[in-house]
Amino acid sequence: MQSVSAGLVSPRTPTSGRLPFVLHASILITLLAASSAPTPLYSRYQAQWRLSALDITVVFGAYALALLIALLTTGSLSDHIGRRPVLMGALAVQVASMALFATAGGLTTLIGARVLQGIATGAATGAAGAALLDLENSARPGRSALANSIAPVTGMAAGVLGATLLVRFAPDPTITVYVALIALFVAQAAALAWTSETAHPRPGALRSMRPRPALPPAAAHALLLNGAGVVAVWALGGFYSSLGPAFTRLVSPGGPESAGGMVFFTLTAVAAPTVYFTRRMRADVSALLGSCAVIPAVGLSLGALYLADPVPLFAGAALAGFGFGAVSQGALRAVIGSVPAHRKGGALASHHALAYLAMSLPAIGAGALAASFGLRTAALAYAGCVAVLAGIAVTALSGPLRGRRTPPGRPSHHGPMVKNTAPVPADTATHVPCVLATHNR
């Protein structure tokens, strides 16, 4: 099967050399590392400023919603003004966001820092992901698409791990974490200033910033089929990222502070190889397997709560990571695989809007429930809703598979089908920004 990105990238002469490719991949990794770095620090913020679970989820939701808005408005801006101007501006905003984090004195500053970070991340990951496609090497086909898929979730894992280690060993981690990230972003901006532009600017920049999400009938069918699974895994990811540290303390009150961040690290660390190893799997099968994994993942997490044992919690996080990776890339391939190239941007925008709303709004709701009834009750209700959604996804995806008799290699109306030995496009990242940048052009 031909790579999805093949019909979306206009022919360009790629900049030669490995360093520009490594630089743009490193920008993706660092951006997403910064996005997950606050997770291990949430418990400190709560203790220092007496924040509630609702406050923490609002901080988290502000980032996700700001990123979504940035994606819908700046997803194709770099096609018109060039990759470097968008990246340089976004990195400057990212540095300002990190400085705001480092000097934060309360909830309002945290929310402001997260909003700036969401805007910068949405704009920069779009331009960086597109630059990787510009730098595609004909001698290594698929390298750019794979980097777009793996770099974001690898960055999230690295950010949580790095921040957790700094919390454990560094002085003033609420400052040190962000100072280290500022240094990385400044170094990347300096290196970017010496690289060549990979895109040919063209008119229409302002017009390109008008959100135009659209859902062709084929994509609407695929999104309806996969929607419950998408909401389940992204909502679960939002819970682990925002309330994971507090939930870990509830499970194991005497455990180390670093354990809270390591739960989300476990999820992201498993999601990254899952994207890689399921990339050749049929899209609907991948989404089905991932949805099946969500139910025992939720059960293990609740078991940890009643056993007061962190071992099932980490096992559940690992299983949730598999579900997140498999459902995200499988569902995304199904949505974009049956629409023409010129309609993929709108289809992707609709898919990504669902994913990020599922990641932010339920987490905010869980925070409100925890503030009123306690985190234990909120976790039970949240887990029940996620399990029901996963069950709906399994039922929805199992029906077409039982009735399918399409010969190998032929397409069907349910989504793309490929021979078992043929590569499936790897440009379907588990993290939304890069995928939107890849196709909304």
Side-chain angles (χ1 to χ4, degrees), residues 338-362:
S338 56
V339 296
H342 69 281
R343 302 292 302 274
K344 292 185 187 296
L348 281 165
S350 299
H351 172 277
H352 300 338
L354 175 64
Y356 263 90
L357 288 173
M359 193 177 196
S360 55
L361 295 185

mmCIF file of all heavy atoms in Angstrom, residues 338-362:
data_model
loop_
_atom_site.group_PDB
_atom_site.id
_atom_site.type_symbol
_atom_site.label_atom_id
_atom_site.label_comp_id
_atom_site.label_asym_id
_atom_site.label_seq_id
_atom_site.Cartn_x
_atom_site.Cartn_y
_atom_site.Cartn_z
ATOM 1 N N SER A 338 -9.463 6.095 3.752
ATOM 2 C CA SER A 338 -10.484 5.937 2.710
ATOM 3 C C SER A 338 -10.969 7.268 2.151
ATOM 4 O O SER A 338 -12.033 7.324 1.539
ATOM 5 C CB SER A 338 -11.679 5.161 3.291
ATOM 6 O OG SER A 338 -12.176 5.809 4.443
ATOM 7 N N VAL A 339 -10.201 8.347 2.371
ATOM 8 C CA VAL A 339 -10.589 9.650 1.816
ATOM 9 C C VAL A 339 -9.491 10.141 0.891
ATOM 10 O O VAL A 339 -8.320 9.802 1.067
ATOM 11 C CB VAL A 339 -10.842 10.684 2.939
ATOM 12 C CG1 VAL A 339 -12.023 10.267 3.785
ATOM 13 C CG2 VAL A 339 -9.619 10.875 3.804
ATOM 14 N N PRO A 340 -9.834 10.913 -0.115
ATOM 15 C CA PRO A 340 -8.818 11.417 -1.050
ATOM 16 C C PRO A 340 -7.881 12.395 -0.365
ATOM 17 O O PRO A 340 -8.180 12.962 0.680
ATOM 18 C CB PRO A 340 -9.644 12.114 -2.137
ATOM 19 C CG PRO A 340 -10.948 12.424 -1.487
ATOM 20 C CD PRO A 340 -11.192 11.333 -0.495
ATOM 21 N N ALA A 341 -6.734 12.610 -1.005
ATOM 22 C CA ALA A 341 -5.682 13.418 -0.394
ATOM 23 C C ALA A 341 -6.153 14.809 -0.031
ATOM 24 O O ALA A 341 -5.837 15.330 1.031
ATOM 25 C CB ALA A 341 -4.478 13.494 -1.343
ATOM 26 N N HIS A 342 -6.954 15.431 -0.895
ATOM 27 C CA HIS A 342 -7.344 16.817 -0.645
ATOM 28 C C HIS A 342 -8.390 16.948 0.448
ATOM 29 O O HIS A 342 -8.732 18.050 0.862
ATOM 30 C CB HIS A 342 -7.873 17.456 -1.941
ATOM 31 C CG HIS A 342 -9.188 16.900 -2.397
ATOM 32 N ND1 HIS A 342 -9.299 15.691 -3.064
ATOM 33 C CD2 HIS A 342 -10.459 17.380 -2.272
ATOM 34 C CE1 HIS A 342 -10.571 15.464 -3.336
ATOM 35 N NE2 HIS A 342 -11.292 16.469 -2.856
ATOM 36 N N ARG A 343 -8.931 15.815 0.964
ATOM 37 C CA ARG A 343 -9.906 15.863 2.047
ATOM 38 C C ARG A 343 -9.335 15.381 3.370
ATOM 39 O O ARG A 343 -10.036 15.382 4.383
ATOM 40 C CB ARG A 343 -11.117 14.970 1.684
ATOM 41 C CG ARG A 343 -11.814 15.326 0.403
ATOM 42 C CD ARG A 343 -12.537 16.653 0.472
ATOM 43 N NE ARG A 343 -13.533 16.709 1.523
ATOM 44 C CZ ARG A 343 -14.795 16.288 1.394
ATOM 45 N NH1 ARG A 343 -15.184 15.750 0.239
ATOM 46 N NH2 ARG A 343 -15.661 16.406 2.372
ATOM 47 N N LYS A 344 -8.088 14.938 3.388
ATOM 48 C CA LYS A 344 -7.529 14.343 4.595
ATOM 49 C C LYS A 344 -7.370 15.360 5.727
ATOM 50 O O LYS A 344 -7.512 15.026 6.898
ATOM 51 C CB LYS A 344 -6.192 13.677 4.285
ATOM 52 C CG LYS A 344 -6.328 12.449 3.397
ATOM 53 C CD LYS A 344 -5.000 11.748 3.214
ATOM 54 C CE LYS A 344 -5.126 10.611 2.186
ATOM 55 N NZ LYS A 344 -6.031 9.553 2.634
ATOM 56 N N GLY A 345 -7.038 16.599 5.385
ATOM 57 C CA GLY A 345 -6.836 17.598 6.418
ATOM 58 C C GLY A 345 -8.083 17.791 7.271
ATOM 59 O O GLY A 345 -8.025 17.799 8.496
ATOM 60 N N GLY A 346 -9.244 17.943 6.616
ATOM 61 C CA GLY A 346 -10.481 18.126 7.354
ATOM 62 C C GLY A 346 -10.850 16.904 8.166
ATOM 63 O O GLY A 346 -11.327 17.009 9.303
ATOM 64 N N ALA A 347 -10.651 15.717 7.584
ATOM 65 C CA ALA A 347 -10.957 14.496 8.319
ATOM 66 C C ALA A 347 -10.080 14.370 9.553
ATOM 67 O O ALA A 347 -10.542 13.998 10.640
ATOM 68 C CB ALA A 347 -10.768 13.283 7.404
ATOM 69 N N LEU A 348 -8.795 14.685 9.404
ATOM 70 C CA LEU A 348 -7.884 14.611 10.531
ATOM 71 C C LEU A 348 -8.229 15.619 11.612
ATOM 72 O O LEU A 348 -8.184 15.317 12.803
ATOM 73 C CB LEU A 348 -6.450 14.843 10.048
ATOM 74 C CG LEU A 348 -5.803 13.633 9.386
ATOM 75 C CD1 LEU A 348 -4.559 14.056 8.633
ATOM 76 C CD2 LEU A 348 -5.467 12.579 10.409
ATOM 77 N N ALA A 349 -8.597 16.826 11.195
ATOM 78 C CA ALA A 349 -8.951 17.846 12.180
ATOM 79 C C ALA A 349 -10.127 17.379 13.031
ATOM 80 O O ALA A 349 -10.146 17.583 14.250
ATOM 81 C CB ALA A 349 -9.278 19.153 11.471
ATOM 82 N N SER A 350 -11.127 16.762 12.409
ATOM 83 C CA SER A 350 -12.278 16.267 13.156
ATOM 84 C C SER A 350 -11.872 15.149 14.113
ATOM 85 O O SER A 350 -12.310 15.111 15.264
ATOM 86 C CB SER A 350 -13.345 15.753 12.181
ATOM 87 O OG SER A 350 -13.786 16.781 11.332
ATOM 88 N N HIS A 351 -11.021 14.234 13.644
ATOM 89 C CA HIS A 351 -10.542 13.151 14.504
ATOM 90 C C HIS A 351 -9.775 13.712 15.691
ATOM 91 O O HIS A 351 -9.972 13.299 16.845
ATOM 92 C CB HIS A 351 -9.657 12.200 13.705
ATOM 93 C CG HIS A 351 -8.963 11.168 14.549
ATOM 94 N ND1 HIS A 351 -7.776 11.444 15.209
ATOM 95 C CD2 HIS A 351 -9.282 9.897 14.867
ATOM 96 C CE1 HIS A 351 -7.409 10.374 15.881
ATOM 97 N NE2 HIS A 351 -8.303 9.422 15.688
ATOM 98 N N HIS A 352 -8.890 14.661 15.419
ATOM 99 C CA HIS A 352 -8.043 15.190 16.474
ATOM 100 C C HIS A 352 -8.834 16.027 17.473
ATOM 101 O O HIS A 352 -8.504 16.065 18.657
ATOM 102 C CB HIS A 352 -6.920 16.015 15.868
ATOM 103 C CG HIS A 352 -6.050 15.225 14.933
ATOM 104 N ND1 HIS A 352 -5.957 13.862 14.978
ATOM 105 C CD2 HIS A 352 -5.233 15.619 13.924
ATOM 106 C CE1 HIS A 352 -5.139 13.442 14.042
ATOM 107 N NE2 HIS A 352 -4.684 14.496 13.382
ATOM 108 N N ALA A 353 -9.857 16.707 16.982
ATOM 109 C CA ALA A 353 -10.719 17.449 17.894
ATOM 110 C C ALA A 353 -11.375 16.496 18.892
ATOM 111 O O ALA A 353 -11.424 16.766 20.097
ATOM 112 C CB ALA A 353 -11.782 18.207 17.103
ATOM 113 N N LEU A 354 -11.861 15.359 18.403
ATOM 114 C CA LEU A 354 -12.448 14.358 19.284
ATOM 115 C C LEU A 354 -11.424 13.842 20.288
ATOM 116 O O LEU A 354 -11.714 13.723 21.486
ATOM 117 C CB LEU A 354 -13.003 13.194 18.455
ATOM 118 C CG LEU A 354 -13.539 11.996 19.242
ATOM 119 C CD1 LEU A 354 -14.747 12.408 20.067
ATOM 120 C CD2 LEU A 354 -13.888 10.844 18.298
ATOM 121 N N ALA A 355 -10.210 13.557 19.820
ATOM 122 C CA ALA A 355 -9.182 12.992 20.696
ATOM 123 C C ALA A 355 -8.799 13.957 21.813
ATOM 124 O O ALA A 355 -8.741 13.573 22.990
ATOM 125 C CB ALA A 355 -7.949 12.610 19.865
ATOM 126 N N TYR A 356 -8.554 15.206 21.466
ATOM 127 C CA TYR A 356 -8.112 16.144 22.490
ATOM 128 C C TYR A 356 -9.243 16.580 23.417
ATOM 129 O O TYR A 356 -9.018 16.846 24.601
ATOM 130 C CB TYR A 356 -7.407 17.348 21.865
ATOM 131 C CG TYR A 356 -5.921 17.151 21.909
ATOM 132 C CD1 TYR A 356 -5.257 16.522 20.862
ATOM 133 C CD2 TYR A 356 -5.193 17.515 23.019
ATOM 134 C CE1 TYR A 356 -3.908 16.289 20.920
ATOM 135 C CE2 TYR A 356 -3.842 17.293 23.090
ATOM 136 C CZ TYR A 356 -3.190 16.678 22.045
ATOM 137 O OH TYR A 356 -1.851 16.421 22.113
ATOM 138 N N LEU A 357 -10.461 16.633 22.904
ATOM 139 C CA LEU A 357 -11.587 16.886 23.796
ATOM 140 C C LEU A 357 -11.759 15.720 24.763
ATOM 141 O O LEU A 357 -12.056 15.922 25.955
ATOM 142 C CB LEU A 357 -12.864 17.104 22.985
ATOM 143 C CG LEU A 357 -12.943 18.422 22.216
ATOM 144 C CD1 LEU A 357 -14.180 18.445 21.324
ATOM 145 C CD2 LEU A 357 -12.957 19.612 23.171
ATOM 146 N N ALA A 358 -11.550 14.490 24.272
ATOM 147 C CA ALA A 358 -11.642 13.314 25.146
ATOM 148 C C ALA A 358 -10.534 13.298 26.194
ATOM 149 O O ALA A 358 -10.721 12.777 27.293
ATOM 150 C CB ALA A 358 -11.585 12.036 24.305
ATOM 151 N N MET A 359 -9.410 13.873 25.874
ATOM 152 C CA MET A 359 -8.293 13.887 26.812
ATOM 153 C C MET A 359 -8.465 14.952 27.894
ATOM 154 O O MET A 359 -8.030 14.755 29.032
ATOM 155 C CB MET A 359 -6.986 14.136 26.061
ATOM 156 C CG MET A 359 -5.740 13.868 26.872
ATOM 157 S SD MET A 359 -4.251 14.094 25.878
ATOM 158 C CE MET A 359 -3.032 13.254 26.907
ATOM 159 N N SER A 360 -9.111 16.064 27.557
ATOM 160 C CA SER A 360 -9.167 17.188 28.496
ATOM 161 C C SER A 360 -10.479 17.263 29.275
ATOM 162 O O SER A 360 -10.468 17.348 30.511
ATOM 163 C CB SER A 360 -8.934 18.500 27.737
ATOM 164 O OG SER A 360 -9.850 18.641 26.670
ATOM 165 N N LEU A 361 -11.614 17.242 28.600
ATOM 166 C CA LEU A 361 -12.881 17.477 29.290
ATOM 167 C C LEU A 361 -13.220 16.405 30.335
ATOM 168 O O LEU A 361 -13.619 16.750 31.457
ATOM 169 C CB LEU A 361 -14.013 17.603 28.267
ATOM 170 C CG LEU A 361 -13.918 18.814 27.327
ATOM 171 C CD1 LEU A 361 -15.156 18.903 26.437
ATOM 172 C CD2 LEU A 361 -13.741 20.109 28.112
ATOM 173 N N PRO A 362 -13.074 15.094 30.039
ATOM 174 C CA PRO A 362 -13.345 14.114 31.094
ATOM 175 C C PRO A 362 -12.401 14.253 32.298
ATOM 176 O O PRO A 362 -12.825 14.041 33.442
ATOM 177 C CB PRO A 362 -13.128 12.765 30.388
ATOM 178 C CG PRO A 362 -13.364 13.053 28.955
ATOM 179 C CD PRO A 362 -12.827 14.438 28.741
#
